Amino acid sequence: MMKAILLFILSFAIFTSCGKGASLSEAELLGLERCVAERPDSVYAVLKDVETRELSPSALALYYLVRTEAEDKLYMTHTIDSLIALSRTYYETTEDAAHLAKAWYLTGRIHTDWEQWDKATADFLRAEELTEGSEDWGLKGRIAEYLGVVNWKNELYDKALSYHKKAFFYFTQIPDSTNMIYALRGQGNVYWSLKEADSALYVFQEALKVSQSIQNRRLISSISNRLGYIYKKWGENEKAYIHIQKAIAYSPEFEWIYGYYPCRIPSVIHPDLRGTPDQELL
């Protein structure tokens, strides 16, 4: 089934690349939704050229949902929330709790991009409510993970830690090793903010083990960077150097750090971890 869907994506992409706008049926959109987690680039390539004027209200709601999800998976910065709002409004009139929950989750992701933490919290809590009793562990995990993030941003550390642990449990049910690492990394960030450095070190070490087992270069670099930072703070320069070297080796964009080490490890090597002075890992 997945091969058939991917073949359809390729065929549709070739068709639309010739300048011919095309529409999609709701069944085809559902097929694209099943692919978006693994092939967001291909799904987005198809959806960006879709002619939406002929879509039914239900198909249009699904189109906006899947397109927003593809953009989110591709780390594209969200600039508008009006399209997902239209999707959400449609699903509010139906009994489709699964798609409504995803619409609220994606609304939260947009507000997270905009650093509107209180709005994002409300969005994710609504999504969490709608997935109660669901066995969509992936969506439940992502909701819990981002509830961990927004609570951490609001310095509600106990809540943040609880949600990151919940996210880790959900991801183990799939299992999803990559997102398990993100959940562990989130726990480590919270422990560091709580000044529980030993606990932060332990979960970062566990996250590094999983990252290395699946050879995810981005996450090996990210986790090694944090371990290096902790060891530098503790004055263990030899261990810090080993981990920072690994962070650089697994992420070419970190090459410029060479000029800073071993004099200091600048906070700017943690671009995804901005926060208050007590959140130095951020």
Side-chain angles (χ1 to χ4, degrees):
M1 175 62 75
M2 185 63 72
K3 287 183 178 179
I5 294 172
L6 292 175
L7 181 60
F8 161 74
I9 290 174
L10 178 61
S11 301
F12 192 92
I14 293 171
F15 180 70
T16 54
S17 69
C18 296
K20 301 175 182 178
S23 189
L24 289 172
S25 69
E26 193 163 350
E28 289 167 334
L29 285 165
L30 287 169
L32 291 172
E33 183 183 22
R34 289 194 290 272
C35 289
V36 71
E38 295 182 11
R39 299 294 298 272
D41 51 346
S42 300
V43 171
Y44 179 76
V46 170
L47 294 179
K48 68 184 179 65
D49 291 319
V50 166
E51 175 54 65
T52 60
R53 286 179 295 180
E54 298 179 6
L55 293 177
S56 67
S58 58
L60 187 63
L62 184 57
Y63 168 81
Y64 289 144
L65 186 77
V66 180
R67 176 163 178 162
T68 304
E69 185 175 9
E71 291 170 348
D72 192 56
K73 292 284 186 183
L74 292 170
Y75 304 103
M76 298 171 67
T77 301
H78 299 289
T79 57
I80 60 171
D81 62 357
S82 56
L83 299 184
I84 196 62
L86 290 171
S87 178
R88 197 176 64 242
T89 299
Y90 172 80
Y91 287 120
E92 291 280 10
T93 68
T94 73
E95 297 182 0
D96 190 345
H99 280 127
L100 180 58
K102 186 181 285 188
W104 275 111
Y105 163 76
L106 290 168
T107 304
R109 283 292 299 115
I110 292 170
H111 289 143
T112 301
D113 270 4
W114 298 351
E115 298 186 0
Q116 295 179 350
W117 309 122
D118 291 338
K119 284 186 176 181
T121 300
D123 299 332
F124 292 132
L125 285 173
R126 177 64 175 137
E128 181 186 38
E129 179 185 356
L130 287 161
T131 55
E132 187 175 350
S134 166
E135 292 188 0
D136 185 345
W137 304 115
L139 181 58
K140 287 167 74 82
R142 292 193 297 276
I143 292 167
E145 179 63 15
Y146 275 101
L147 276 167
V149 170
V150 294
N151 277 291
W152 176 73
K153 288 289 186 179
N154 284 328
E155 300 183 25
L156 300 172
Y157 299 134
D158 289 340
K159 281 187 177 181
L161 188 59
S162 175
Y163 274 115
H164 284 305
K165 288 181 176 180
K166 189 180 291 188
F168 181 81
F169 169 76
Y170 290 147
F171 292 133
T172 63
Q173 302 306 295
I174 302 174
D176 182 341
S177 297
T178 299
N179 277 316
M180 286 163 59
I181 298 164
Y182 283 119
L184 287 171
R185 189 179 72 174
Q187 291 177 44
N189 292 339
V190 176
Y191 280 128
W192 184 262
S193 295
L194 289 168
K195 303 188 186 305
E196 297 181 21
D198 288 339
S199 295
L201 181 70
Y202 174 77
V203 294
F204 285 144
Q205 288 173 331
E206 291 301 301
L208 183 60
K209 289 177 187 176
V210 183
S211 301
Q212 291 173 327
S213 73
I214 64 172
Q215 279 299 296
N216 185 310
R217 297 182 65 85
R218 177 186 292 273
L219 284 171
I220 290 173
S221 179
S222 175
I223 303 301
S224 296
N225 187 25
R226 284 161 173 77
L227 287 167
Y229 185 83
I230 290 175
Y231 283 122
K232 180 64 177 177
K233 280 289 187 179
W234 286 354
E236 298 187 35
N237 290 344
E238 215 172 291
K239 290 182 179 179
Y241 181 77
I242 291 170
H243 285 290
I244 292 300
Q245 289 289 88
K246 181 176 287 187
I248 294 168
Y250 279 85
S251 185
E253 67 226 46
F254 281 170
E255 286 180 357
W256 56 272
I257 295 176
Y258 278 118
Y260 288 88
Y261 193 86
C263 300
R264 64 188 178 94
I265 300 177
S267 61
V268 290
I269 67 174
H270 305 283
D272 56 331
L273 293 178
R274 301 285 184 229
T276 67
D278 288 337
Q279 297 172 331
E280 291 174 279
L281 279 178
L282 280 172

